[in-house]
């Protein structure tokens, strides 16, 4: 059974940095996308960054140059390094994976930008104060 467990959220002042992690277990897929999504207060969920099984990454425009997604395959952990944080980055951050039959169905057309991720963590709160 696949489990994604986020950690590392917290409160930070604007301009500060934070690294959040996602521990992945029960995951044995060779082809997949991993991603960070976020949902701010009163906002819809949005994709922040993605990384595929080859290590290729994509970023939402507002975080380019500030956030870095990475994965440690040996530790089965996904990371999101967030620098130069802004109050508008305040949100619950979710780790997600697109794998298995969902990957084969959606990746060919949409790549890792697909919204059809089928595994999700419980989320971790990030609060940025001005």
């Amino acid at each position: 059974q696949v489990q994604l467990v986020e950690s590392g959220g917290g409160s930070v002042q604007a301009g500060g940095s934070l690294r959040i992690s996602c521990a992945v277990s029960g995951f044995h897929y060779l082809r997949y996308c991993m991603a960070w999504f976020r949902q701010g207060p009163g906002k819809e969920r949005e994709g922040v960054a993605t990384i595929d099984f080859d290590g290729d990454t994509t970023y939402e425009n507002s975080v380019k140059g500030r956030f870095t997604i990475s994965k440690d395959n040996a530790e089965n952990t996904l990371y999101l390094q967030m620098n130069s944080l802004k109050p508008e980055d305040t949100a619950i951050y979710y780790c997600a994976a697109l794998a298995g039959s969902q990957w084969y169905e959606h990746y060919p057309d949409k790549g890792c930008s697909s919204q059809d991720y089928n595994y999700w963590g419980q989320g971790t709160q990030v609060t940025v104060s001005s």
Side-chain angles (χ1 to χ4, degrees), residues 29-126:
Y29 300 102
L30 295 179
R31 299 183 186 278
Y32 57 86
C33 295
M34 299 291 295
W36 288 99
F37 290 79
R38 67 185 179 186
Q39 186 164 18
K43 298 180 181 179
E44 292 189 354
R45 187 181 67 195
E46 64 173 353
V48 175
T50 73
I51 186 167
D52 72 7
F53 56 94
D54 270 344
D56 293 330
T57 59
T58 67
Y59 295 92
E60 194 268 328
N61 284 337
S62 70
V63 307
K64 283 181 181 177
R66 300 189 298 124
F67 289 12
T68 302
I69 187 172
S70 63
K71 60 185 176 76
D72 186 328
N73 292 331
E75 295 293 329
N76 296 319
T77 304
L78 179 73
Y79 299 101
L80 185 68
Q81 176 68 44
M82 302 181 288
N83 299 326
S84 302
L85 282 160
K86 305 175 181 180
E88 50 264 44
D89 295 318
T90 294
I92 299 174
Y93 284 72
Y94 298 92
C95 167
L98 175 67
S101 59
Q102 288 287 90
W103 186 91
Y104 287 98
E105 180 176 353
H106 297 288
Y107 182 84
D109 286 338
K110 302 176 183 177
C112 290
S113 63
S114 169
Q115 296 291 307
D116 299 290
Y117 281 69
N118 50 330
Y119 297 108
W120 291 85
Q122 83 289 350
T124 186
Q125 176 71 47
V126 172

